[in-house]
Amino acid sequence: MASLRRTSGLDVWLGLGIVYVVWGSTYLAIAIAVETLPPLLYSGVRFTIAGLILAAWLAFRRADLRISRRELGGAAAVGILMLAGGNGLVSIAERTVPSGVAALIVASIPLWLVVYRTIAGERVPRDLLAGVLLGLVGVAILVVPGGLNGTIDPVGALLLFGATLSWALGTFLSPRLSTPRNALVSTAYQMLAGGVVLMVVALPKGEFAHIDPATFSTRSLIAFTYLVVFGSLVAYSAYTWLLQNTTVSLVSTYAFVNPVVAVALGALILGELITLTIVLGAAVIVVAVAFIIFRQNAARRADRIAPVAEAAD
């Protein structure tokens, strides 16, 4: 039994390492991909290819890909919100916003989850709402000075806010919707739904009409391949596996590890500046997100302990 626990623990930390490093690096890969690739079309093709590969692998492993209409609707809703709305808007925004700043703004997702809980009528402690306000101050420190001095595109920043709201809503609704029980089957349908929607939206945007493969750079194509294989197939699958095999609190720590990886890679490879404002804003956001995650974990532990204490009485 001890051996099994050790193996399970190694698997969990391997999965976390993948999500920490690979998802942190995807911001850099997206920035390179959109240098020459149309953002919505490339994103749609990325998730469609990844979804088809995953579905083919599952079929080869004889997994049951048949799902109900309700499960299909739930998986499609999550995929559209998180991948089409979330990732698609990030891809557009990173044409004008540095990858490190984009990652820091997206790191505020746990803050918006608290807001959605409040809107849904759930009881949310005041200290969590205070944490949300602190996180928004951090985002403002990042965005407002950059917008005023022209270093951050305000439209790109707004797109990132939209992406964050969309991803957070998909995360919030995911456990509340009927989705396939098999996490990888659900992931395949999510990626297919998100990919198809992105390609449909790319059509009226004119990305199909103006596509010119001769303008695609080699490094953009390499980044695209990296995003399909590692960003979608490896990291997204690891994320869904972790949600089924460990606590949400441990998985959610990616929210304040990814930005650190993204900022470091953006500075090292793309030469993005790390200013005092970025460091200050990042510190405030990370502290706020860490506070919210650890405060929620403490509340969950108290809820689990309370029934046991009552039974003992």
Side-chain angles (χ1 to χ4, degrees), residues 157-209:
L158 285 174
L159 289 173
L160 288 168
F161 283 128
T164 304
L165 290 171
S166 187
W167 186 283
L169 182 58
T171 303
F172 175 77
L173 292 177
S174 181
R176 294 165 174 80
L177 295 173
S178 177
T179 56
R181 291 184 180 180
N182 185 316
L184 292 180
V185 171
S186 182
T187 299
Y189 281 106
Q190 288 174 30
M191 289 195 290
L192 288 170
V196 169
V197 168
L198 281 164
M199 288 191 289
V200 169
V201 175
L203 187 60
K205 290 280 290 181
E207 291 190 5
F208 279 94

Side-chain angles (χ1 to χ4, degrees), residues 66-111:
R66 295 174 299 176
I67 61 173
S68 67
R69 290 184 179 179
R70 190 174 179 185
E71 290 174 331
L72 176 61
V78 173
I80 291 168
L81 286 168
M82 294 177 67
L83 302 179
N87 202 278
L89 290 175
V90 168
S91 294
I92 299 174
E94 282 205 43
R95 281 196 153 182
T96 56
V97 177
S99 63
V101 174
L104 289 166
I105 293 175
V106 174
S108 64
I109 284 173
L111 313 182

